[in-house]
Amino acid sequence: MSKSSHGVKSPLLPSEGLAPLKQPNLAAAITQLVDELAAFDLYFQQNPSMSPINPFMGALKHDEWITFHNKHFGHHFKQFHLFEATSL
């Protein structure tokens, strides 16, 4: 199991090295992300009272998922120097 610099072990990552790419290139990965974010928005438009389970934080409402996604994306953008965030 891979361990992050914060000590969190992800069961989704290999114990050594990097996981294989799921898309052939960055453009395809961005397209998939945009499609999945649209599906996320549609889900909550159709199910506004739902609170899907996050495996670490439990049930989250739509606004809590938005906060989580913003912080998670911001973490990775900062991690890979895609932008320098002043606070996350």
Side-chain angles (χ1 to χ4, degrees), residues 3-60:
K3 189 173 180 180
S4 77
S5 62
H6 297 290
V8 177
K9 294 180 181 179
S10 173
L12 303 176
L13 297 176
S15 59
E16 297 293 327
L18 299 173
L21 296 176
K22 294 181 180 181
Q23 297 296 329
N25 55 52
L26 183 58
I30 291 170
T31 296
Q32 180 182 356
L33 176 61
V34 169
D35 291 348
E36 289 179 8
L37 290 173
F40 168 85
D41 287 337
L42 180 61
Y43 174 81
F44 279 106
Q45 287 172 11
Q46 295 174 343
N47 304 282
S49 64
M50 295 300 289
S51 295
I53 304 295
N54 176 290
F56 294 103
M57 295 180 281
L60 299 177

